[in-house]
Amino acid sequence: MAKTESTLKNMVLTLLVITGVAGASLGFMFELTKGPIEAAKKAKQQAAITEVVPGFNNNPADEVYELKSKEGFDLKFFPAKKDGKLIGIAIESMTTKGFSGKIKVMVGLKPDGTIINYQILEHKETPGLGTKMADWFKTDKGNQSVLGKHPKNNNLTVSKDGGEVDAITAATISSRAFLDAVRVAFETYNENKDNQPVADNTSVEEGGSL
Amino acid sequence: MNQWNNFSKGFFKENAVFTLLLGMCPTLGVTSSAFDGLGMGLATTFVLVMANLVIALIKNLIPDKVRIPAFIVVIATFVTIVEMTMQAYLPDLFESLGLFIPLIVVNCLVLGRAEAFASKNNIGSSIIDGLGMGLGFAMALTILGALREILGSGKVFGTMIFPEDYGMLVFVLAPGAFIALGYLIAFINHVKKEA
């Protein structure tokens, strides 16, 4: 087969055909992977909710609602209920104060605001330093852990800033950012507690109108 | 023998990382652990093989003057396919490789093989060349990743070798990548001289 000559017509045609074929095959692949990508994201979200507020038997993802934080972030609230009673709430919180940008954290709170657990969903922190936040604040060692603490009764800032939490060694900025995400979650939850029937404490006690 | 040579040259004699010093961006960027290095290497291998295959197939149809844009489009297509597939079926790996997957497009190794080999050789040789070069690249990234993981956090493929507290953090960070790669290349050059 002879080599196609570099005439204008040939060049335009070749590029047109190649980009056309490339576009078509990418469109096809997109359709093919759209479902699994969506499913993988859902599974991840579900796993995170189960991790941070265990023991529910409703489907929190079905009852999700969104609230705006003071900082203007849209936070997702996943109410976790057992037999219709609110046992906790998973809040997809975020902060932009990370060492390299946005950090998304799923924070699990009891209806009274006590932290049950958390999971890091998204971050771009330094590997080996900031990435340690995935386990650091869960580890019961010194004053690392934030589990079981209440953002109102405990000063959840790093000890360098006068708080009670030990920052990750050599990653104070990431630690501050993480605690900021927790604070955003709690404050948004707390402020909206009264006008959110779903998150209302008293009606939960009565097992009332959820 | 010739085909074997096409395949094996990617591992040692013309290893992309250790000898040709091609594709340095992913090499230094994603090798903070052995698993990430391996994942990146295999993703690149897939792109290399497919791009080499397609380019060897259509090399005579492409006018010389537009061959580079044509090659890039072919490569970018396969990279995007890898990206979407990985996002769908290996979300965890996708997350840790993140930005570096789209950057395979501009990995000079891929374009280099397309230009230097696939556009001049037949389909069979091109596939073998892509496979050899890609696996050699994957091997190099895995070795570098494992080395940095051991020195930096005391683990290999996530398995603890010694407690993390004794690790030298610098090896997990970017400067450690340069240091580790430098010593690896020095070592390999030494071995080559002896041989």
Side-chain angles (χ1 to χ4, degrees):
Chain A
M1 195 162 43
K3 185 100 181 160
T4 315
E5 271 181 65
S6 295
T7 59
L8 182 66
K9 193 185 115 208
N10 279 350
M11 292 195 285
V12 170
L13 262 180
T14 321
L15 286 182
L16 206 65
V17 170
I18 288 180
T19 44
V21 172
S25 48
L26 283 185
F28 176 72
M29 278 306 287
F30 176 74
E31 286 300 323
L32 212 65
T33 53
K34 201 165 68 176
I37 289 176
E38 209 48 47
K41 275 188 186 155
K42 271 229 174 80
K44 204 185 158 198
Q45 188 184 62
Q46 194 67 25
I49 297 172
T50 317
E51 168 94 20
V52 300
V53 278
F56 58 85
N57 58 11
N58 67 329
N59 186 357
D62 282 348
E63 299 176 40
V64 61
Y65 57 93
E66 266 188 32
L67 290 174
K68 231 181 183 53
S69 78
K70 267 196 309 209
E71 291 78 8
F73 306 140
D74 288 315
L75 306 190
K76 282 190 184 131
F77 285 68
F78 301 92
K81 295 170 188 167
K82 187 170 188 179
D83 305 324
K85 260 192 185 181
L86 190 73
I87 54 163
I89 188 148
I91 305 169
E92 200 184 298
S93 181
M94 59 172 283
T95 178
T96 49
K97 294 184 180 159
F99 193 64
S100 10
K102 201 164 81 175
I103 301 176
K104 270 189 168 177
V105 191
M106 185 76 90
V107 187
L109 298 179
K110 281 186 190 159
D112 69 355
T114 311
I115 298 167
I116 307 174
N117 206 342
Y118 73 89
Q119 192 169 27
I120 309 290
L121 298 176
E122 209 183 297
H123 72 85
K124 297 188 190 72
E125 301 304 287
T126 319
L129 291 174
T131 46
K132 281 191 191 153
M133 66 188 167
D135 298 307
W136 182 275
F137 298 105
K138 289 178 190 172
T139 315
D140 193 19
K141 189 171 140 192
N143 291 322
Q144 281 178 215
S145 176
V146 297
L147 308 190
K149 300 218 167 135
H150 191 285
K152 216 166 211 173
N153 307 335
N154 299 90
N155 183 0
L156 292 186
T157 48
V158 296
S159 38
K160 238 183 216 173
D161 302 340
E164 333 179 345
V165 185
D166 286 346
I168 303 168
T169 321
T172 311
I173 296 177
S174 301
S175 306
R176 278 192 190 126
F178 168 79
L179 293 170
D180 184 61
V182 173
R183 180 191 58 81
V184 168
F186 174 75
E187 276 179 8
T188 314
Y189 169 72
N190 206 33
E191 269 163 32
N192 295 284
K193 206 153 81 168
D194 301 326
N195 43 31
Q196 281 295 326
V198 237
D200 192 307
N201 237 341
T202 46
S203 64
V204 173
E205 302 295 325
E206 298 154 11
S209 55
L210 291 172
Chain B
M1 192 58 213
N2 190 31
Q3 292 296 28
W4 170 245
N5 197 30
N6 277 343
F7 180 71
S8 65
K9 69 174 187 290
F11 286 90
F12 196 71
K13 210 174 86 206
E14 286 182 34
N15 186 289
V17 175
F18 296 142
T19 310
L20 303 178
L21 296 181
L22 284 177
M24 286 295 108
C25 162
T27 303
L28 297 168
V30 301
T31 52
S32 57
S33 77
F35 185 74
D36 288 358
L38 184 64
M40 185 67 191
L42 293 181
T44 310
T45 305
F46 173 79
V47 173
L48 254 174
V49 171
M50 297 310 285
N52 267 7
L53 163 73
V54 171
I55 286 163
L57 200 68
I58 60 172
K59 62 175 184 285
N60 283 332
L61 299 174
I62 302 173
D64 266 342
K65 278 185 183 164
V66 291
R67 69 181 191 285
I68 299 290
F71 293 168
I72 287 286
V73 172
V74 171
I75 294 166
T77 308
F78 286 113
V79 169
T80 315
I81 289 175
V82 168
E83 189 186 359
M84 292 195 290
T85 314
M86 200 181 266
Q87 201 176 359
Y89 301 105
L90 296 164
D92 288 339
L93 182 64
F94 176 77
E95 225 157 79
S96 60
L97 296 182
L99 178 68
F100 289 96
I101 294 292
L103 281 181
I104 299 177
V105 179
V106 289
N107 187 334
C108 30
L109 171 64
V110 185
L111 185 63
R113 291 330 286 174
E115 168 74 9
F117 198 93
S119 65
K120 298 189 181 83
N121 289 279
N122 62 29
I123 299 170
S125 309
S126 298
I127 294 175
I128 289 169
D129 174 76
L131 200 62
M133 276 296 181
L135 291 178
F137 185 66
M139 179 192 77
L141 257 58
T142 314
I143 292 175
L144 186 57
L147 192 70
R148 289 178 63 192
E149 208 182 346
I150 296 174
L151 294 173
S153 53
K155 293 183 225 164
V156 178
F157 284 104
T159 321
M160 182 107 96
I161 306 270
F162 59 79
E164 195 170 350
D165 295 348
Y166 300 109
M168 286 173 281
L169 196 58
V170 66
F171 281 101
V172 179
L173 305 177
F178 285 93
I179 297 170
L181 182 66
Y183 276 103
L184 260 178
I185 292 175
F187 174 74
I188 282 168
N189 280 345
H190 176 73
V191 172
K192 261 190 198 150
K193 232 177 198 171
E194 302 278 292

